[in-house]
Amino acid sequence: MAALLSFGEVLIDFIPADSKSNQYLPMAGGAPANVAVAYAKLGGKSYFSGGISKDNFGNFLTTSLETEGVDLSYVEHTETHNTALVLVSLDSEGERSFNFYRHNTADLAMSKSAIDKIDFTQIQTFHFCSNTLTHAELNTTTLHALACARTNGVTISFDVNLRQQLWPELKDLLSRVEACLAQSDIVKLSKEEADYLANMKGMAYNEYLQHILAMGVRLIVVTDGPNAVQVLTKKDNTVIDVPRITPVDTTAAGDSFIAGFLFALNTSSDKPLNDKLASLESIEHSVSFASRCGAYTCQQKGAFAALPSASDLADA
């Protein structure tokens, strides 16, 4: 089984318990952690790497990840940093907004020395998001992890997943994101994120996507809520329809999508992953499976609990 290592933050999502947001429920979340859990729930071998506090919330996160079948061999535990928190608000259509509480927290404390303990020879896909780029030291750690992955021939997946409010200096965003784009094989963006980066670069939307491909990225996947998914490689540019649903909570939907995509891509056949990335048929199959995963998650509340297992998809 092709193993996935998802790198980045795990934190506490406070999710509204009612439509008026008078009460909130603490749930395990964080985009890279969601991806690790989603991949494991689908039946894949899944590792998570990141900083986790030994405070009460951190212990809850550790237990939550292990309960879902995620291997924590490459986690760096800390007693000197608290767990990051995020208050999630939902509008009438289930769309989210966030208030983050993330100052000197455990997810920011992941060190380069912890990366050096990872056995990349056992990993087929390395996945990460942009929240590890927000602070200089953690950005350096992320670039070190990417270098280690590339040295060992690991396929790199980058879900840009912008959270602008987490950046102390927005002027650093474009250069740091593009430094990681240049090291990635698979890039997932929302349409909104692609437009934002294109505007920062002073380019039109389609021009910017071609700019990303010119960096060496092999596959770009652009999601757009209920609209079709756009897929681009150097030789193909196509759109793939997504299921029509009534969303309840879009929390972790994008994470469910990319985890489903990577799982389907890794397990669809015995062909090398490089060959599948060159096959539009394999990519379309993986996007269709990923869209089913994302649609399922949108119809549930929370993060980990909303991510589908293979049997959930079979029953849907």
Side-chain angles (χ1 to χ4, degrees):
M1 171 62 69
L4 171 83
L5 172 62
S6 193
F7 168 74
E9 75 276 6
V10 59
L11 44 75
I12 296 292
D13 284 332
F14 281 94
I15 305 291
D18 55 42
S19 59
K20 297 182 179 180
S21 299
N22 290 325
Q23 297 182 9
Y24 288 82
L25 299 174
M27 296 184 177
N34 292 338
V35 171
V37 169
Y39 197 86
K41 289 180 76 170
L42 290 170
K45 176 59 179 175
S46 181
Y47 295 88
F48 174 77
S49 178
I52 300 183
S53 176
K54 289 189 176 181
D55 64 13
N56 287 340
F57 279 137
N59 293 335
F60 168 72
L61 293 174
T62 295
T63 299
S64 298
L65 286 163
E66 290 178 334
T67 298
E68 298 293 358
V70 177
D71 192 316
L72 301 185
S73 298
Y74 303 130
V75 161
E76 185 170 25
H77 293 281
T78 173
E79 295 181 346
T80 57
H81 300 78
N82 292 327
T83 300
L85 311 175
V86 57
L87 193 67
V88 182
S89 300
L90 302 174
D91 65 18
S92 60
E93 296 182 351
E95 287 296 333
R96 308 151 297 157
S97 59
F98 305 96
N99 289 307
F100 287 91
Y101 299 86
R102 188 194 189 214
H103 176 69
N104 197 32
T105 46
D107 60 303
L108 298 175
M110 186 71 176
S111 65
K112 287 175 65 177
S113 60
I115 298 298
D116 290 333
K117 296 176 183 177
I118 297 172
D119 182 1
F120 280 95
T121 65
Q122 300 302 309
I123 307 298
Q124 282 69 52
T125 307
F126 179 90
H127 177 78
F128 73 111
C129 303
S130 67
N131 288 346
T132 59
L133 312 181
T134 58
H135 293 68
E137 188 170 348
L138 189 56
N139 178 62
T140 299
T141 299
T142 303
L143 292 174
H144 179 61
L146 296 179
C148 292
R150 289 188 72 84
T151 297
N152 286 278
V154 177
T155 299
I156 296 174
S157 163
F158 183 18
D159 182 355
V160 176
N161 196 37
L162 291 179
R163 298 287 180 262
Q164 286 90 334
Q165 63 267 49
L166 290 178
W167 289 77
E169 299 285 348
L170 275 175
K171 64 179 177 58
D172 296 326
L173 188 152
L174 183 64
S175 61
R176 290 182 184 176
V177 167
E178 289 203 332
C180 292
L181 290 172
Q183 301 300 315
S184 301
D185 300 294
I186 300 167
V187 171
K188 175 190 168 291
L189 299 132
S190 69
K191 176 66 163 54
E192 182 180 4
E193 288 164 349
D195 281 330
Y196 181 85
L197 293 173
N199 287 335
M200 288 192 79
K201 192 72 173 180
M203 292 181 171
Y205 168 80
N206 287 319
E207 182 185 11
Y208 190 71
L209 294 182
Q210 293 302 315
H211 170 67
I212 294 175
L213 289 174
M215 293 181 185
V217 171
R218 300 196 60 195
L219 171 67
I220 302 173
V221 179
V222 183
T223 58
D224 189 17
N227 301 314
V229 174
Q230 184 180 10
V231 171
L232 298 96
T233 68
K234 287 186 176 179
K235 67 175 184 176
D236 295 302
N237 185 346
T238 189
V239 294
I240 302 166
D241 288 333
V242 301
R244 298 297 175 189
I245 61 163
T246 301
V248 173
D249 177 1
T250 59
T251 301
D255 308 323
S256 182
F257 176 94
I258 189 61
F261 177 82
L262 295 173
F263 179 81
L265 196 66
N266 279 330
T267 59
S268 59
S269 72
D270 293 330
K271 293 181 180 179
L273 188 55
N274 282 339
D275 290 350
K276 288 185 275 190
L277 283 174
S279 166
L280 183 59
E281 181 181 0
S282 293
I283 293 168
E284 288 178 333
H285 164 77
S286 299
V287 168
S288 295
F289 181 81
S291 296
R292 291 176 58 209
C293 292
Y296 179 91
T297 298
C298 282
Q299 296 174 88
Q300 324 297 320
K301 279 221 173 210
F304 288 9
L307 301 167
S309 65
S311 59
D312 289 329
L313 295 176
D315 294 338

